[in-house]
Structure formats: structure tokens, C-alpha cells
Amino acid sequence: MPQTYRNYIDRQWVPAQSGATYENRNPADREDLIGLFPQSGAVDVDAAVAAARRAYASWRLVPAPGRAEILYRAAQLFRERKDRFADDMTREMGKVLAETAGDVQEAIDMSYLMAGEGRRLFGQTTPSELRNKFAMSIRQPIGVCGMITAWNFPMAVPSWKILPALICGNTVVFKPAEEAPLTAINFVQTLIDAGLPAGVLNLVMGDGPGAAAPIVEHPDVAVVSFTGSTDTGRRINETCARTFKKVHLEMGGKNVILVMDDARLDLAVEGAVWGGFGTTGQRCTAASRVVVHEAVYDSFVERFVARARQLVVGDGRRDGVQMGPSIHEEQLAKVVEYVDIGRNEGARLVLGGSRLSDGAFAAGCFHEPTIFADVTPTMRIAREEIFGPVVSVIKVRSLDEAIAVANDVAYGLSAAIYTQDINNAFTAMRDVYTGLFYVNAPTIGAEVHLPFGGVKATGNGHREAGIAALDVFSEWKSIYVDFSGRLQRAQMDTEQI
Ligand code: UN1
């Protein structure tokens, strides 16, 4: 009998009120049933929001250094549980153990960062234009925050949202990706064990229409933070706009590595392999385009293919495996479809191109690492997010052309340049329009204490992680204290020097 898991609402583990559940399976072996998870609906969301609302009344008044104590303890518990959590995560979403351990590490790092923030949460003091008057601005919590997250970073991304929200004094309803509920349970259980009071963090599992839509629409949810596809993000944005709900969106990417004629090709090749095929290409920061200067193009393609050909594909829990499966059949079908699109568009397939289905691969969702060369910037494989192990290589004649190609997509999350020339590096750093930029490193590998997010169709102007995340989960209040004992009128009674 598979284990049946429950939602967490107001310090109780409870089934969905309808009793409905869904199955979650291991993408490396679809016969491995991980468990049954609640298929929640609007009534479950209502209960979770009500609990979060009640808890907000007292949590907002807990001094931030007191809230921080809980996050310090959580950091230590995440560290102790890292290997177990990584194993559970690989089993449910497929990326290799070294990467899932890295995912848990992001939650550890973020816990420490936000715990430290509990003793800062800096506001500003400013002079007043009037005599005997004091002016300051402080951060205030907002209320109940609805967090809707993706399966590819199932512990890191929730930590980027939930921990800043908590340290600011908000309470949370968390709807994790359907594909990675066990990791969400591990995350929530750790915060409970660290001492989070009842109702401050609530977990509601299920699919998007059933469990996420009611969070977005709920009048008592003050902030929605979402990581996922651009189509879903657009719908969430529209719903939130109608009621002026604060919304933070972190969506797709079509990230690019520029390889200049003076690049160290050995480094560029390693970067393209890691950026393109790490996490099976299922990162919003994945390098799915490599734009290469014509002077080194042939040699880069040859070395890139030779290196990517050596990648060991398989079950991410097995030693030596470097690339796991796609998350599920639907995602794999999308990869297969894009490979067809690339072929039909006339791109040159130089590596892979097929689903792996023999022997040990038969029960899982595996695809070969795939490289297309001679891709042109107008092809769909060069413009649309694939979210799989498919990289497009594009030839250019100059840095200017490389930057133009880099910018000529709807998305703007991450970009990188490989060059030994500081002028190239600084020019690209300035002119490529993205939220993240790397020099002589791939497009992946963001650290939690820097702002994370993108421009154009990737985001909506907010950032998560870093101290910038506090701007999503708090509102500024400007406060004026007049201790002159008389009415002083701003802009009118200002003394002239
Ligand atoms: C994501 O793909 O949604 O920079 C997040 C990186 C990781 C996080 C990626 N630290 O690639």
C-alpha cells in the first residue's frame, strides 16, 4: 500500500475535505509509486487561508529577531536532513543527487540569510524639512501570502519566497508543484520542528486549477508569488490585477551563452554542457542557446558535441549518473516535439535527438542530450522555452551581433559571456537585457543572497531571494513625528536659510 500524505492546516495534518488524492510517481521509473497526495480544492484553501489569517494577528507582532530564531533552527535542521531530503527529491523529480543536495543547500543558505535579516529589516531615517519633526520609513508585513511553486527547484524556490515572507511577519499558504509534494512536506515539517507557531505556514497540495486558482482568487490573500510557466503567470497576473492584489511572477527563460573569438574554449564547453544539460535542461536559467563567434564556431561545436556525448544519463539516484529524466511524459513529449520542429526548420542535428527507451530506460522519461547547430535566431527552437535537454548553437560575426541575438527573444532571465577581453565582458554585461549575467561561467548557479529574477516575459519587476525579496513581502510605511508642539505645514512653513 502506498503511503497517503496530508495537507498541513493550522497545525494539523488533514486530508483534502473531499477525500480526493492523486498519485505521484518517480520519473526515472514510473512504476515506483511515491505516494498518494491530497487533491485539494477551494474548501481546503479556505481553511488554510482562514488559519493563516488568524495566525497573522499574532505573528506580525512577534519581534523579527524572535522570528529569526526559528529560521536559524530551521537552517540547522535542513543541514541535518540534507541527504534524506535530497534522496526524496531525486526520487520524485529526477535530477541527480548532487543537484538535489544543492537544492536543499539553497534552503539552508536562505534560512541563514533571512534569519540574519531578522536583526536588520532596515528602514530609513531621513531629515524632515521642518524643525522638530522626525521622519522615517519602516517595512510592514502585508498579510497572508499565497506561494505557488514549480517542481524543478522544489525546496530552493519555496525557501526564496516563504522565508522572506515569514521574517517580514506575514503568514503563508503554500501550494507546491503537484510533481514534488514530498519535498514540500519535508520543507514544511522542518519549519514546524524549528518552532513555527500554528497557522503561520499552511500547506495545500493538488493541481493548479483545484488548489492554486482558489489561492489566487481568495480575497484574504494579500500577495501571490508564483514560479512557473509564462502562460499560467499571465493568467495569475490578470486575476490579481482585477483586485489590485500584489503579485510576484517568476516565469520562463531562453537563456544564452555568448562565446567570443578570444574565449577559453575548454571553459566555454564545460559551461555550455553544465548550463544546457544540468537538471536535464529543466531550469528556468538553463542555457538553451549558445551564440558563437564564427572564428571559433566549428571548433566549439565539435568540442561541445564530443563533451556532451559523454554525459551519463540515467536514474539520478545511481552513482555516476550526470543527467536524469524529464519530469513526466507530457514534458518529454514537448521535448520530442521541439526536436521535430528543429529538424523541420532546417537546423543541423549534431547530437542526440531521440527518446531513450531501451533496457533500464524503458520505465522512465529519458531523452538523449541533444544539440542543434546552424540554428538561426528566427527558428522556434531559438525563441521558445523547451525545458529539456536541447541546446541550439547559433553562429555570429561580432560581439554586436551576438548581443542583438541575445536580446531578440521574449524572455530576459539569464545570460553569460565567455571571453578573455574585459571590454567584451563589460559591453555585454551592460547591453544584454536580463536579470542575471555571468562572465566566464554558465547561465545557472545563482546564489541566494543576490536578487533573482528576470525582465520582459520572465518577470514582472520584482525579485526573489536576496534582500530584494523583502520588497515583495513588505510594504513601506513613511512615518512623521512632529514634536514642535505646534501645527507645522509641510512645503509651506519651511524655514529659509
Ligand atoms: C530555477 O530554475 O527556477 O541559478 C531556479 C540557478 C539555480 C536556481 C534556478 N540556483 O540555476
Side-chain angles (χ1 to χ4, degrees):
M1 271 296 281
Q3 195 166 338
T4 302
Y5 293 90
R6 296 173 163 205
N7 289 331
Y8 185 74
I9 299 175
D10 211 9
R11 202 183 259 167
Q12 309 260 16
W13 292 99
V14 290
Q17 286 186 33
S18 67
T21 57
Y22 72 92
E23 290 184 348
N24 193 30
R25 290 177 183 273
N26 180 345
D29 174 4
R30 305 294 291 159
E31 274 145 40
D32 175 19
L33 177 59
I34 295 165
L36 299 175
F37 295 86
Q39 174 49 64
S40 312
V43 283
D44 306 296
V45 168
D46 276 348
V49 173
R53 204 176 163 199
R54 280 194 301 278
Y56 179 61
S58 49
W59 180 247
R60 63 184 269 272
L61 300 178
V62 174
R67 299 195 289 254
E69 285 284 324
I70 296 170
L71 300 194
Y72 274 121
R73 278 199 295 277
Q76 288 154 359
L77 294 174
F78 281 130
R79 187 177 287 289
E80 284 167 22
R81 300 171 183 185
K82 185 173 174 180
D83 290 348
R84 177 162 64 84
F85 286 180
D87 190 69
D88 281 348
M89 197 189 297
T90 297
R91 186 176 167 213
E92 72 176 351
M93 56 70 66
K95 64 185 176 185
V96 302
L97 282 176
E99 291 190 35
T100 49
D103 195 311
V104 180
Q105 184 61 43
E106 292 206 41
I108 298 168
D109 298 339
M110 197 63 193
S111 301
Y112 281 124
L113 177 68
M114 285 300 138
E117 204 47 38
R119 288 193 179 263
R120 286 186 293 268
L121 279 181
F122 289 142
Q124 293 172 327
T125 58
T126 34
S128 167
E129 62 194 42
L130 294 164
R131 196 171 283 253
N132 294 331
K133 191 173 175 188
F134 189 88
M136 61 185 162
S137 38
I138 63 164
R139 289 188 184 277
Q140 292 225 288
I142 309 178
V144 178
C145 300
M147 313 298 198
I148 302 165
T149 57
W151 46 264
N152 65 333
F153 274 81
M155 194 160 286
V157 169
S159 80
W160 296 354
K161 301 179 191 297
I162 293 172
L163 303 177
L166 293 177
I167 203 68
C168 287
N170 304 284
T171 56
V172 170
V173 175
F174 172 28
K175 206 299 274 179
E178 236 180 313
E179 296 84 351
L182 187 55
T183 296
I185 291 171
N186 288 339
F187 180 79
V188 168
Q189 183 68 58
T190 300
L191 282 154
I192 298 167
D193 295 343
L196 215 55
V200 171
L201 174 57
N202 304 276
L203 173 65
V204 178
M205 290 170 269
D207 64 11
I215 295 177
V216 176
E217 283 157 16
H218 204 294
D220 290 336
V221 171
V223 184
V224 172
S225 179
F226 166 79
T227 296
S229 74
T230 298
D231 284 346
T232 308
R234 182 177 287 113
R235 285 203 301 281
I236 291 176
N237 205 23
E238 284 165 2
T239 305
C240 291
R242 283 202 293 278
T243 53
F244 309 109
K245 192 173 288 189
K246 190 168 185 181
V247 57
H248 158 243
L249 304 169
E250 181 52 50
M251 302 170 287
K254 192 69 190 173
N255 313 293
V256 65
I257 293 179
L258 311 182
V259 181
M260 290 299 100
D261 49 354
D262 60 295
R264 268 188 52 191
L265 282 195
D266 56 337
L267 267 190
V269 164
E270 286 305 314
V273 169
W274 175 226
F277 301 113
T279 325
T280 320
Q282 301 176 117
R283 293 198 192 206
C284 55
T285 50
S288 57
R289 298 182 293 157
V290 185
V291 172
V292 186
H293 193 284
E294 59 182 359
V296 292
Y297 182 82
D298 291 336
S299 138
F300 175 84
V301 170
E302 190 187 315
R303 290 165 76 168
F304 183 31
V305 169
R307 180 65 190 80
R309 197 190 293 285
Q310 293 165 3
L311 284 171
V312 180
V313 180
D315 181 338
R317 290 160 91 200
R318 278 211 345 259
D319 271 356
V321 168
Q322 294 165 312
M323 194 182 100
S326 292
I327 184 71
H328 44 43
E329 285 294 335
E330 293 83 335
Q331 191 63 39
L332 184 57
K334 193 175 158 195
V335 171
V336 169
E337 190 188 330
Y338 270 105
V339 171
D340 271 354
I341 291 171
R343 279 198 174 106
N344 293 334
E345 287 176 314
R348 182 162 58 98
L349 183 67
V350 286
L351 181 71
S354 302
R355 179 181 185 151
L356 291 161
S357 46
D358 295 344
F361 296 118
C365 305
F366 294 95
H367 195 278
E368 294 176 303
T370 296
I371 300 175
F372 281 106
D374 304 349
V375 175
T376 62
T378 54
M379 291 180 184
R380 285 182 63 194
I381 53 168
R383 308 187 76 78
E384 298 173 18
E385 186 177 51
I386 300 174
F387 228 63
V390 182
V391 177
S392 294
V393 188
I394 301 170
K395 191 198 288 191
V396 291
R397 285 177 302 271
S398 64
L399 177 64
D400 284 352
E401 189 185 348
I403 292 172
V405 170
N407 285 334
D408 183 27
V409 287
Y411 301 105
L413 181 54
S414 188
I417 188 167
Y418 280 84
T419 180
Q420 299 283 87
D421 180 339
I422 196 167
N423 299 333
N424 287 343
F426 272 83
T427 304
M429 193 194 303
R430 183 190 62 195
D431 292 344
V432 175
Y433 188 44
T434 51
L436 307 170
F437 192 83
Y438 294 84
V439 177
N440 292 329
T443 54
I444 67 177
E447 301 177 27
V448 303
H449 52 296
L450 277 74
F452 182 94
V455 298
K456 302 196 282 186
T458 296
N460 68 333
H462 292 297
R463 292 293 183 272
E464 59 191 348
I467 303 309
L470 302 177
D471 293 331
V472 175
F473 300 110
S474 64
E475 292 286 2
W476 286 110
K477 181 181 273 179
S478 298
I479 299 171
Y480 301 89
V481 180
D482 191 318
F483 55 103
S484 69
R486 61 194 174 89
L487 174 67
Q488 301 193 89
R489 297 173 302 176
Q491 294 90 41
M492 293 160 73
D493 298 336
T494 310
E495 290 171 34
Q496 301 299 317
I497 308 286

